[in-house]
Amino acid sequence: MSEYYIGVDLGGTYTKAGILRVENSSMDVYGFSEAPTPTDSRDMLIDSIVEAVRKMLEENDLPASACRGLGIGAPGPLNRARGMILHLPNIPGMSNLPLRDRIGDALGIPAVLENDANAAAMGEYLFGAGRDVQSMIMLTLGTGVGGGIIVDGQILHGAHDIAGEVGHIIVQPGGRLCNCGQHGCLEQYASATFLAKHAADEVRAGRKSILAKTLKKKGSIDAADVNEARKAGDALAAEAWDTAVHHLAIGCVTLERMLDCELIVLAGGLVNAGADLLDPLQAYYRELDWKLSEQMSPLAIATLGSRAGVHGAAGVAWQAFGS
Amino acid sequence: MSEYYIGVDLGGTYTKAGILRVENSSMDVYGFSEAPTPTDSRDMLIDSIVEAVRKMLEENDLPASACRGLGIGAPGPLNRARGMILHLPNIPGMSNLPLRDRIGDALGIPAVLENDANAAAMGEYLFGAGRDVQSMIMLTLGTGVGGGIIVDGQILHGAHDIAGEVGHIIVQPGGRLCNCGQHGCLEQYASATFLAKHAADEVRAGRKSILAKTLKKKGSIDAADVNEARKAGDALAAEAWDTAVHHLAIGCVTLERMLDCELIVLAGGLVNAGADLLDPLQAYYRELDWKLSEQMSPLAIATLGSRAGVHGAAGVAWQAFGS
């Protein structure tokens, strides 16, 4: 007999939902839906999620009563035990929002709240790049650097629900000042946004680069622009790319030594560069890594893209409420 | 009714043993014994451990049949699942030694093998500085920098039994070359041995310091010498001490961000300096730490000294074989 779980991925712009079907040992996620996240009021936010799930269930002929659980991945900081969003960085007015119980009660489905980066890691672990391993670390190289750690199939939450802040491990003492107040955080080097930002800063400071033209035309540059300029032989772009990749490799070595996971999964905008990222990263990672053993935590690119969060949120519900 | 477990801490020079008594929710370790570790042959090593445990049991009027389990903490690398020492760094001829079964069979007590740094962390967690927390990291600042990570009361072993190698997280990219082949490992900065070694190297290279006299007299200097010279106003010593403390604080921030443990416990030779270590370390740790929340993983000095390993090995046996 099949069991059903709902996954919801609450994003600052879009909210996604999907259905997880578990039958014997096989699992699949289907029935994806996506809708803009309303930011006007708390009630509108809640109602919109509830309606999106209801519509998705109807379209798939699945009664809510057939669902064993619902998982919600949401940006932090959260109080996971109480199922509350403490505040949403990109949506004002959402402080101390009891999201779990409001949505669970409205739908009549037991619900669980999880950090969105952890949910995405769980998605890749159950359904994506990590499906054949028992432990992995996921690094999402996007606006910032997010992370999630899975040990023996469980999310490592930490004592205050803030373990796995891999974007804020220090990879360059006294390095770039991070928004968090630390210097030299991994995020300041290896996020798609900051890689591009620091290249743009150098151009604005007068350094010669073909990126100056892009910056003038578009008003900003992104990581893909830096990679294109690098491939066209631009020295500044090559340096910016190399700095990012080098510091990412340092971070990977530190993660490997600390956690000894079976796999490090890379996701987010920067992995769109494919081999342009992975090949030099792999080379640095091997060069920097210890010589006492072979490499213990190989690298892999995430396979689920933006659906990792929905998959993972449903998987978290399965872990919480499954038989 | 009381339950009894044996702890054995196999060291390169001395082997220690003790008895853990568990009664209701109270636990205590007693009956310590200590004997030189024979290094001549595998059989002598095994026999000496077995005899030491037998003698300790006799002296405490405890039959082996009353013991539910025996834990052995040993230097790595180990194959924990098979209970084997793969090799002992400081004792040649011990490769692929099935220590767990040889000792367990000889005594007729179910046995479990654990990495010695993990066992020491478990000791501090159950009986020492970490007795009131659920998660902690232990850093032993001695010859090298050893570590053990406890999450929700369990040792974090990793996929290949080498998690918690905190001495080899990278705290200075391109920094000092470590014996492991990496550059800038925490161990190269914050171990008692390397702190002193790098100060001695600078003296030998001709840098002026009152340590030159100590070095000439003793042939070598240790971390305590560096601290004394620092207190006497020596500039080189002050710099060496500061470098160690600063990099240790960087490592603590990275550990805090990754694991979000309730406590970071410091042990080993360097903590003999007491407030001379802890005060400046605390200051750097707060300065370098993020400003998004209060400090999540405060520092504490270990309380069990060299007995942490025995306590912890017995605790590992209790976890493995306890009711």
Side-chain angles (χ1 to χ4, degrees):
Chain A
M1 214 187 97
S2 297
E3 294 176 8
Y4 297 92
Y5 303 87
I6 311 295
V8 172
D9 181 17
L10 174 64
T13 317
Y14 285 93
T15 297
K16 303 183 187 96
I19 302 165
L20 166 64
R21 177 172 40 208
V22 182
E23 200 173 326
N24 302 320
S25 62
S26 93
M27 305 173 87
D28 66 301
V29 182
Y30 67 103
F32 280 102
S33 73
E34 188 172 49
T37 304
T39 57
D40 300 329
S41 79
R42 298 157 73 97
D43 287 345
M44 280 179 67
L45 180 77
I46 303 279
D47 290 349
S48 117
I49 295 173
V50 170
E51 279 317 306
V53 172
R54 276 202 185 120
K55 190 157 162 265
M56 178 181 71
L57 290 174
E58 269 171 36
E59 284 169 3
N60 290 277
D61 281 327
L62 186 68
S65 59
C67 298
R68 289 199 172 213
L70 179 148
I72 310 161
L78 314 171
N79 183 325
R80 207 168 44 89
R82 296 176 59 200
M84 285 177 64
I85 286 179
L86 298 181
H87 65 264
L88 286 178
N90 299 314
I91 313 181
M94 301 293 166
S95 296
N96 298 319
L97 179 65
L99 192 70
R100 179 192 67 193
D101 292 349
R102 291 280 306 265
I103 291 177
D105 290 352
L107 289 163
I109 305 174
V112 57
L113 185 66
E114 183 55 80
N115 171 282
D116 56 356
N118 288 344
M122 181 55 76
E124 288 291 336
Y125 169 75
L126 289 173
F127 306 100
R131 58 191 307 160
D132 294 326
V133 302
Q134 291 306 308
S135 61
M136 55 162 258
I137 305 160
M138 177 141 148
L139 292 175
T140 303
L141 314 166
T143 310
V145 171
I149 300 169
I150 310 278
V151 175
D152 293 335
Q154 302 293 320
I155 293 166
L156 183 80
H157 285 110
H160 317 86
D161 275 340
I162 51 168
E165 282 286 358
V166 293
H168 301 281
I169 66 173
I170 296 175
V171 292
Q172 188 64 60
R176 295 173 183 169
L177 177 61
C178 186
N179 299 336
C180 77
Q182 293 177 185
H183 282 266
C185 289
L186 179 59
E187 172 162 305
Q188 285 297 317
Y189 295 85
S191 87
T193 301
F194 286 108
L195 188 169
K197 181 188 173 295
H198 288 285
D201 286 349
E202 295 231 27
V203 172
R204 288 197 191 92
R207 183 131 173 230
K208 263 184 112 171
S209 164
I210 57 174
L211 286 167
K213 213 169 139 187
T214 321
L215 187 59
K216 202 172 171 187
K217 203 164 93 187
K218 292 170 53 183
S220 67
I221 53 176
D222 61 22
D225 295 326
V226 177
N227 191 28
E228 287 310 312
R230 181 188 68 82
K231 289 202 264 190
D234 187 70
L236 166 61
E239 195 184 294
W241 196 259
D242 182 71
T243 300
V245 170
H246 184 230
H247 285 87
L248 183 53
I250 291 167
C252 287
V253 171
T254 286
L255 294 171
E256 186 188 28
R257 291 289 88 79
M258 289 287 304
L259 295 168
D260 181 24
C261 280
E262 284 175 79
L263 198 65
I264 298 177
V265 177
L266 304 171
L270 208 56
V271 304
N272 295 337
D276 289 346
L277 174 75
L278 203 57
D279 289 351
L281 176 61
Q282 198 66 263
Y284 269 134
Y285 186 27
R286 285 189 189 284
E287 179 193 324
L288 296 170
D289 205 2
W290 76 10
K291 308 297 176 266
L292 298 183
S293 66
E294 58 182 319
Q295 195 149 64
M296 290 301 182
S297 306
L299 307 176
I301 299 286
T303 63
L304 302 180
S306 64
R307 289 188 171 182
V310 174
H311 275 80
V316 167
W318 168 68
Q319 285 197 332
F321 304 112
S323 54
Chain B
M1 214 189 96
S2 298
E3 295 176 7
Y4 297 92
Y5 303 87
I6 310 296
V8 172
D9 180 15
L10 173 64
T13 317
Y14 285 93
T15 297
K16 304 182 188 100
I19 302 165
L20 165 64
R21 177 171 41 209
V22 182
E23 200 173 327
N24 301 321
S25 60
S26 94
M27 304 173 88
D28 67 301
V29 182
Y30 67 103
F32 282 101
S33 73
E34 189 172 47
T37 303
T39 58
D40 300 328
S41 78
R42 299 157 73 98
D43 287 346
M44 280 180 68
L45 180 77
I46 304 278
D47 291 349
S48 117
I49 296 172
V50 170
E51 280 317 305
V53 172
R54 276 201 185 120
K55 190 157 162 266
M56 178 182 71
L57 291 173
E58 270 170 36
E59 283 168 6
N60 290 277
D61 280 327
L62 185 68
S65 59
C67 298
R68 288 199 173 212
L70 178 147
I72 310 160
L78 314 172
N79 183 324
R80 206 168 44 90
R82 297 176 59 199
M84 285 177 64
I85 286 179
L86 297 182
H87 64 264
L88 286 177
N90 300 314
I91 314 181
M94 300 294 166
S95 296
N96 299 317
L97 179 65
L99 192 70
R100 179 193 66 195
D101 292 348
R102 292 277 308 265
I103 291 177
D105 291 351
L107 289 163
I109 305 175
V112 57
L113 185 66
E114 183 55 81
N115 170 281
D116 57 355
N118 287 344
M122 181 54 75
E124 288 291 336
Y125 169 76
L126 289 173
F127 307 99
R131 60 191 304 159
D132 294 326
V133 301
Q134 291 306 308
S135 62
M136 57 162 258
I137 305 160
M138 177 142 148
L139 292 176
T140 303
L141 314 166
T143 311
V145 171
I149 300 169
I150 310 278
V151 175
D152 294 335
Q154 302 295 320
I155 293 166
L156 184 78
H157 285 110
H160 318 86
D161 275 340
I162 52 168
E165 281 287 357
V166 294
H168 301 280
I169 67 173
I170 297 176
V171 293
Q172 186 64 59
R176 295 173 183 168
L177 178 62
C178 186
N179 300 335
C180 78
Q182 294 177 186
H183 283 266
C185 289
L186 178 59
E187 173 162 306
Q188 285 297 318
Y189 295 85
S191 86
T193 301
F194 287 108
L195 188 169
K197 180 187 173 296
H198 288 283
D201 286 348
E202 295 232 26
V203 172
R204 287 196 192 95
R207 183 131 173 230
K208 263 185 115 171
S209 163
I210 57 174
L211 286 166
K213 212 169 141 186
T214 321
L215 187 59
K216 200 171 172 188
K217 204 164 92 187
K218 293 169 56 183
S220 68
I221 53 176
D222 61 23
D225 295 324
V226 177
N227 190 29
E228 287 310 312
R230 181 188 69 83
K231 289 202 264 192
D234 186 69
L236 167 62
E239 195 184 292
W241 196 259
D242 183 70
T243 299
V245 170
H246 183 231
H247 284 88
L248 183 53
I250 291 166
C252 288
V253 171
T254 286
L255 295 172
E256 184 189 30
R257 291 289 86 81
M258 288 286 304
L259 296 168
D260 181 24
C261 281
E262 285 176 77
L263 197 66
I264 297 176
V265 177
L266 305 171
L270 208 57
V271 305
N272 294 337
D276 289 345
L277 174 75
L278 204 57
D279 290 351
L281 176 61
Q282 199 68 262
Y284 269 133
Y285 187 26
R286 286 191 189 283
E287 179 192 325
L288 296 169
D289 205 0
W290 76 8
K291 307 298 176 267
L292 299 183
S293 66
E294 58 183 319
Q295 195 149 65
M296 290 300 180
S297 307
L299 307 175
I301 298 285
T303 63
L304 302 180
S306 63
R307 289 187 172 183
V310 174
H311 276 80
V316 167
W318 167 68
Q319 284 196 333
F321 305 111
S323 55

